[in-house]
Amino acid sequence: MNHEIKKLDKKGLRDFGLLIGGLIAVLFGLVVPLLRRHSLPWWPWAICAVLVVLALVAPKALNPIYHAWMKFGILLSKIETPIILGIVFYLIVLPMGIIKNLFGEDAMRRKLNPKMDSYRVPSKPRTKVSMERPF
C-alpha cells in the first residue's frame, strides 16, 4: 500500500503547528504529570512554544516536522492495525463462531444435502417501502 503524504499550504501547516504544539503541552505538560503525581516538566512547554511560534511566524518551516510526523503515523498504523484487528478477531469474532458452532448454527448453510436439487436461496421481492426505509 502506497501512503503518500500530501503537501500542506500555509494554513494547513499553521493549523498543524498550533494543534500539535497544544496537544504536546496539554498531554505531556499537564495531564501525564498530574496523573502520575509528578512535578510539571518544562520541556513540553518549550516544544509547544517553538511549534506555536513557527506556526504563527513561519509556517513553511514546519514542513519537515509535518512530514516526519506523518511518516511516524504511517509506521504506527502498520504496527498497530494488525495488532488491533487480531485482538478484535480473537476476543470477539472467534468466540462468537465457537459458540454458534456449539449450538449447531451454520449461518452460511454449508451442510451438504444430497436430496436438494439446488442450494440457491431465492430472494424475496422488495416493496417500495423497504427501499425508502431500509432499516
Side-chain angles (χ1 to χ4, degrees), residues 12-29:
L13 288 169
R14 183 175 294 119
D15 291 345
F16 167 76
L18 294 173
L19 177 69
I20 299 304
L23 283 175
I24 288 173
V26 169
L27 285 178
F28 298 109

Side-chain angles (χ1 to χ4, degrees), residues 44-117:
W45 299 100
I47 294 172
C48 172
V50 169
L51 288 174
V52 167
V53 168
L54 284 175
L56 295 174
V57 176
K60 294 232 180 207
L62 291 173
N63 213 13
I65 298 170
Y66 169 75
H67 283 284
W69 186 264
M70 289 296 117
K71 286 181 182 178
F72 178 67
I74 290 169
L75 174 69
L76 278 182
S77 74
K78 288 181 180 182
I79 295 169
E80 288 181 6
T81 301
I83 293 171
I84 291 170
L85 289 177
I87 290 170
V88 167
F89 178 79
Y90 286 110
L91 291 180
I92 296 173
V93 177
L94 182 66
M96 281 181 10
I98 291 171
I99 291 169
K100 287 179 108 176
N101 198 12
L102 288 175
F103 286 107
E105 186 176 332
D106 186 15
M108 293 175 55
R109 298 183 200 114
R110 293 174 291 186
K111 294 180 182 160
L112 296 176
N113 185 354
K115 296 178 182 175
M116 291 179 66
D117 293 335

Side-chain angles (χ1 to χ4, degrees), residues 4-8 63 66-67 70:
E4 284 191 36
I5 300 171
K6 69 177 185 171
K7 286 194 171 249
L8 289 183
N63 213 13
Y66 169 75
H67 283 284
M70 289 296 117

Side-chain angles (χ1 to χ4, degrees), residues 109 119-127:
R109 298 183 200 114
Y119 291 101
R120 181 180 176 276
V121 178
S123 62
K124 299 174 186 171
R126 295 184 178 188
T127 64

